[in-house]
Each structure stands twice: as C-alpha cells, then as structure tokens.
C-alpha cells in the first residue's frame, strides 16, 4: 500500500550513511511519487472503510479514482502495487512524456470527487452514527501506544515527520497537517479527506519545479 514511501525511507538512510547528494530533479520526482502513493493509499482506506461501514457506492467511487492514480504510477515505473520507483541516489528514470498533464487531469477529477465523497458521507446520519465515539483513542493512549500517522493526528497530536524532521524537498513546500481533536473514527475520516487535498497541494507546487 505504501511501497514508494518504504523505498524512499530506505534510500534516504543509505544516502545519509554514504554521503550521497541527490539531484534536484530526482528529488522532485521522488516527492511526486511519494505523494501520489499517499493519495492511492488514502483512497484504498476510504474504499475499504466505507465498505466495512456499509457504504457500497463509495467503495466503487474511490476505487475508480484509485485506478487513475495507479495508471500514473504504472506509466512511470511499470508497476501498480510494488512500485520500486526510487533508487539510492535518485530515481530510475525521468517522467514520461505527457505524465504531468495526466497528473493534472487526475487531480482535477479527484478534487471534484472528494466533494462527492464528502457530500455522501460527512453529514450522513448512518455514517456518523457508526463512526462518532467509535474507536476512541485519547491523546495519552495514542502516545503510549506509539501511534503514528492519522491514528496519532486524529487524536489531536500535530506530528508529521515531513514537518518535525524534514527531509527531501518538504522544507521548501507549503502544506498543512490536518488534525482532529475528536479522537474517534469520524475525526480520523476527516483527517484522511483533508490529507488528500494537502497531497494535491504539494503536487501542484512540485509541477513547476
């Protein structure tokens, strides 16, 4: 689900150990791939979570958009799941011709569809009944259990490695860290939706770089 991030973390560790400086163009591509993978992962979460809660339509809609994103990943590295899109010292290849335009088209579609998802779910009585006050993780519990990602930020703790221990191009990028103080499944849902928007904000900044 997050193979690009795993590739990236491993490559960063090796590069730090041996003192390799990655070319800027490669860093731009890496960050694009990682943020696109983040969107793919969040769409997978939304689809499967909605199905578990009983929202069949959202499962189909989110997987539809995820397929578009996976097409982009496949166009770049030839794989749809085990991406292997990062190399120690850079990336395996430059972006294919027309890839940026396809990325922009995808983000336009996704931005519109997130509005559809939220229109169907956010104020939906059944959705709220099944998520609010369910799976409550207090801030203290989140810390003691060593939660990370949205499980941590959904408990009101504003912690993201891209901000707290910045790496790559992230210090040069403008983006927010969504946080919820609800500490329940509903608050985490809201964080997921906003994080997809923040990833698109990052991708838009990377395009002219």
């Amino acid at each position: 689900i997050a193979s690009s991030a795993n590739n990236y973390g491993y490559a960063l560790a090796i590069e730090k150990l041996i003192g390799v400086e990655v070319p800027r163009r490669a860093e731009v591509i890496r960050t694009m791939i990682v943020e696109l993978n983040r969107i793919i992962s969040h769409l997978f979460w939304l689809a499967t979570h909605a199905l578990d809660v009983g929202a069949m339509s959202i499962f189909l809609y989110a997987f539809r958009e995820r397929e578009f994103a996976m097409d982009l990943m496949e166009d770049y590295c030839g794989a749809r799941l085990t991406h292997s899109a990062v190399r120690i010292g850079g990336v395996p290849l430059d972006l294919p011709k027309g890839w940026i335009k396809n990325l922009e088209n995808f983000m336009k579609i996704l931005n519109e569809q997130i509005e559809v998802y939220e229109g169907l779910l956010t104020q939906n009585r059944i959705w709220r009944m099944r998520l609010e006050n369910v799976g409550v993780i207090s801030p203290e519990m989140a810390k003691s259990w060593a939660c990370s990602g949205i499980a941590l930020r959904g408990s009101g703790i504003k912690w993201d490695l891209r901000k707290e221990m910045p790496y790559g191009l992230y210090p040069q990028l403008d983006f927010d860290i969504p946080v919820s103080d609800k500490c329940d499944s509903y608050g985490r849902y809201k964080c997921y939706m906003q994080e997809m928007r923040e990833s698109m904000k990052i991708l838009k900044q990377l395009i002219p770089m």
Side-chain angles (χ1 to χ4, degrees), residues 9 13-14 29 76 86 119 135 146-147 170 191 195 200 209:
I14 300 298
I29 295 171
Y76 178 70
V86 177
C147 290
Y170 286 110
C191 284
E195 274 210 3
M200 286 192 283
M209 289 186 176

Side-chain angles (χ1 to χ4, degrees), residues 39 43 65 106-114 200:
I39 291 171
L43 287 170
E65 272 67 73
F106 164 70
M107 288 193 290
K108 181 181 178 182
I109 293 168
L110 181 61
N111 193 54
E112 294 169 353
Q113 291 306 311
I114 288 176
M200 286 192 283

